[in-house]
Amino acid sequence: MVTKLLNAEKAENIELCADIIRRGGLVAFPTETVYGLGANGLCGDAVNRIFSAKGRPSDNPLILHVSSIEQAVSLYRDVPDSFFKLAEVFWPAPLTIICKKAPVVPDETSAGLDTVAVRMPANEYALKLIELSGVPVAAPSANLSGKPSPTLAKHVYADMFGRIDAILDGGACKYGVESTVISLAGEPTILRPGCITPKMLSAVIGCVKVAESVSKPLAKGEKVLSPGMKYMHYSPDAKVIAFSGSADKIAQKIIQKYEECKDKRCVIFASEENEGKYAGKNYVVVGRRSDPVTFCSSLFSRFREYNDFDCIFCEALSLEDEGLAYMNRLLRACGFNVL
Ligand code: TXA
Ligand code: MG
């Protein structure tokens, strides 16, 4: 299969992609979080093609992308009030909401669970594509399973060329980490943190729990709330190590490790605050500690950029606000290897 690379600025290209989806094919498209790999979410065969193209375990359910609140409601049953509160305040947004599923959602999409995850993305090309397709679009991140999520069309191209029908190139994704996933199927619980933070959510619906697996490895035999949490994730080939403590302590520990690894190709993912301390070493500034969201937007693209290095040394942030989203990805990328 030859994968078409199409510019999203041309309206006819979005129509072409919508047509591919209606006919059961696969299209990678931009969202405000990361690129998604889309197919008709109500067609089990089309959804199965997503799992094969990504090499994704079939017990890991997909998010359905919609272009309106009504379309979301048609996919759920027993919709709680809290859904309407969240959707009305936030959508379109990097927020995925899980409720009990309606029979129309095939088992392939929900991986046999009794619930379904739905989100209305805040990217104009994504919304147009969903609207024109006329169906909810099932879409995981458009990377090969286990690799960092793609935030540019060239990342999708590198992973997916020859495996999918088309890539709709809409430039760089704004947030760079995937959506916040909240389950309303029981007590409101965040299963995956993102740029819609626990504080923002609890301001609208009151108390919101954060699943323990967000920042801890699963204990042996522990019940998984979100199948995606079971898998090693987001990893470049380089060995990733995270360093925790105060900003000063982190810089000290990183410099020490860097010196110990003199014979290896290492890079430091530095904060603006610590940049000066790494003078003369191989470093790249990836964010401001005082504004954690800045760390999110380039994490995955930097992982791809330095994929062939031996070691990547990363600064840990505190598990608060958008720092929680960043740490959730970093901890999985380093296999919870924190010094
Ligand atoms: O920002 C995003 O959410 C991106 C873009 C493309 O929209 N999509 C994305 O999809 O990150 P994916 O498949 O890479 O991650 C979806 C996560 C997985 O960890 C999956 O296990 C979880 O959501 N999930 C999906 N449906 C679920 C359900 N019914 N119950 C629990 N977890 C669910
Ligand atoms: Mg993913």
Side-chain angles (χ1 to χ4, degrees):
M1 175 188 299
V2 176
T3 304
K4 292 190 194 73
L5 187 56
L6 303 167
N7 184 341
E9 278 167 13
K10 289 199 177 139
E12 67 260 35
N13 283 341
I14 303 188
E15 276 167 33
L16 192 77
C17 288
D19 195 49
I20 294 172
I21 286 181
R22 272 194 304 273
R23 286 188 287 116
L26 300 184
V27 174
F29 62 98
T31 82
E32 79 280 32
T33 57
V34 301
Y35 274 76
L37 178 54
N40 179 351
L42 298 185
C43 169
D45 288 341
V47 166
N48 277 333
R49 281 183 205 115
I50 295 181
F51 286 96
S52 331
K54 274 184 66 92
R56 178 175 174 115
S58 60
D59 68 349
N60 194 1
L62 305 179
I63 297 171
L64 286 175
H65 294 68
V66 296
S67 56
S68 69
I69 293 181
E70 298 74 64
Q71 195 180 19
V73 171
S74 75
L75 304 168
Y76 295 141
R77 71 185 151 79
D78 307 337
V79 191
D81 281 348
S82 49
F83 163 77
F84 292 99
K85 288 185 185 151
L86 291 179
E88 273 155 23
V89 169
F90 293 107
W91 277 5
L95 176 65
T96 296
I97 305 177
I98 295 175
C99 296
K100 295 261 165 57
K101 87 174 180 79
V104 64
V105 178
D107 280 343
E108 287 85 349
T109 299
S110 61
L113 298 177
D114 186 34
T115 55
V116 65
V118 182
R119 125 169 158 89
M120 181 170 162
N123 173 293
E124 56 166 326
Y125 304 127
L127 282 175
K128 194 79 209 161
L129 175 67
I130 300 160
E131 230 172 75
L132 289 174
S133 306
V135 290
V137 175
S141 48
N143 50 286
L144 285 174
S145 200
K147 294 285 168 205
S149 296
T151 57
L152 288 170
K154 70 172 183 189
H155 302 156
V156 181
Y157 194 87
D159 278 15
M160 290 296 165
F161 184 82
R163 295 170 170 261
I164 64 177
D165 297 285
I167 301 170
L168 191 61
D169 184 352
C173 300
K174 178 175 169 194
Y175 292 100
V177 292
E178 307 87 344
S179 61
T180 303
V181 177
I182 185 168
S183 173
L184 303 179
E187 249 185 295
T189 306
I190 294 173
L191 304 184
R192 181 177 71 185
C195 292
I196 304 288
T197 63
K199 270 184 207 147
M200 292 161 78
L201 292 165
S202 54
V204 177
I205 56 167
C207 184
V208 168
K209 290 204 316 188
V210 178
E212 286 218 351
S213 52
V214 157
S215 50
K216 286 205 186 90
L218 281 176
K220 234 187 171 166
E222 184 182 336
K223 186 174 173 279
V224 217
L225 294 173
S226 181
M229 296 285 182
K230 279 193 301 199
Y231 301 105
M232 172 88 179
H233 250 101
Y234 316 121
S235 327
D237 293 341
K239 179 176 178 177
V240 178
I241 305 177
F243 295 81
S244 69
S246 65
D248 277 340
K249 194 81 201 159
I250 287 173
Q252 241 176 47
K253 289 199 249 182
I254 288 184
I255 290 165
Q256 189 188 345
K257 191 76 188 169
Y258 189 95
E259 299 295 343
E260 283 169 20
C261 299
K262 270 239 148 77
D263 53 330
K264 298 201 176 114
R265 266 180 101 204
C266 300
V267 61
I268 300 167
F269 284 9
S271 61
E272 259 179 46
E273 288 88 339
N274 276 340
E275 179 182 4
K277 300 171 194 151
Y278 303 129
K281 307 199 162 42
N282 186 31
Y283 74 87
V284 54
V285 175
V286 298
R288 254 190 323 284
R289 300 185 64 80
S290 58
D291 187 10
V293 76
T294 56
F295 272 80
C296 294
S297 56
S298 69
L299 181 69
F300 290 144
S301 60
R302 294 291 189 198
F303 275 164
R304 283 180 182 262
E305 204 177 318
Y306 292 95
N307 183 62
D308 298 334
F309 272 57
D310 295 315
C311 300
I312 302 176
F313 301 142
C314 298
E315 298 190 12
L317 298 176
S318 70
L319 301 171
E320 280 164 18
D321 303 322
E322 295 94 346
L324 184 64
Y326 168 76
M327 287 305 294
N328 172 262
R329 276 63 175 191
L330 177 57
L331 288 168
R332 277 170 178 73
C334 71
F336 295 90
N337 184 8
V338 185
L339 301 182

